[in-house]
Amino acid sequence: PTRAVLINFVSDASGASDYNGVLSFNGGTVPDHVNVRYLEAPSVSEKFNIKWAGQNMGSAIFTSDGRLTGDVQTVTIACDTAANQCSVPVKAPSVALVFLDDDAVSNSSPENEASSLTFATSIYTGHGQHPIVDPAVLKTMNGDGGPGPRHTGSTSKGQGLTQLGAAARSAAVPAIASIFALVMGVMLVVGRG
């Protein structure tokens, strides 16, 4: 193997839940060092302030264009060659990607980050302007134009037409009556022929 992953799922910024992952190399030669890149956040429920190898996509809502910004941070950790092991610190919460040799780091890094094909944001709004959606509306909407004749149901399991408002139910009654009348008319015409 050329890489290892160590994960700490605990949301504890105090440092009490940090641990050292010990990688042992039985029957093999321990490297004199390993390189580590961390995926870090203040808590496991964090949505915006997330860093990969020291880079992030912006800390504010709707400010990212999808590209990582900042310099890549790779931590070099010395191994104990006498004990055939490496001790890698893993903060809570974080994920440590451990590169067991220098080739693994090279293969996981672009040769020239400027040569990566990216497309810059072409439209900018004023400072601090971004779309705002009321969380209560976002939580209950199903993307079908909201309540009314086109409302087809709910995003919640078990919620359907009976839980909708009177307007949605009253829109369904004429549609059902029309279908019934059409079926009866066809049966009448077919019965005479």
Side-chain angles (χ1 to χ4, degrees), residues 34-177:
V34 292
N35 294 297
V36 183
R37 291 184 181 161
Y38 291 98
L39 178 66
E40 302 173 293
S43 75
V44 294
S45 61
E46 179 64 39
K47 296 178 184 176
F48 304 107
N49 189 19
I50 302 169
K51 292 183 180 180
W52 164 245
Q55 299 177 305
N56 68 20
M57 291 191 198
S59 59
I61 301 172
F62 301 114
T63 60
S64 172
D65 63 1
R67 296 182 292 175
L68 290 169
T69 60
D71 296 327
V72 174
Q73 296 173 1
T74 304
V75 179
T76 302
I77 298 172
C79 295
D80 184 351
T81 55
N84 274 344
Q85 62 186 20
C86 298
S87 181
V88 178
V90 185
K91 296 180 180 178
S94 69
V95 175
L97 177 58
V98 183
F99 299 95
L100 303 177
D101 60 40
D102 291 334
D103 287 340
V105 177
S106 301
N107 293 336
S108 298
S109 303
E111 289 180 24
N112 179 356
E113 297 203 20
S115 68
S116 299
L117 181 61
T118 60
F119 300 94
T121 300
S122 57
I123 298 174
Y124 293 92
T125 61
H127 179 69
Q129 294 178 348
H130 54 272
I132 297 175
V133 177
D134 180 5
V137 172
L138 185 61
K139 181 171 62 173
T140 58
M141 67 188 276
N142 73 353
D144 193 33
R150 293 180 10 182
H151 200 295
T152 58
S154 172
T155 58
S156 302
K157 186 176 181 180
Q159 302 291 313
L161 196 56
T162 58
Q163 285 79 20
L164 298 177
R169 283 193 302 272
S170 65
V173 171
I176 293 170

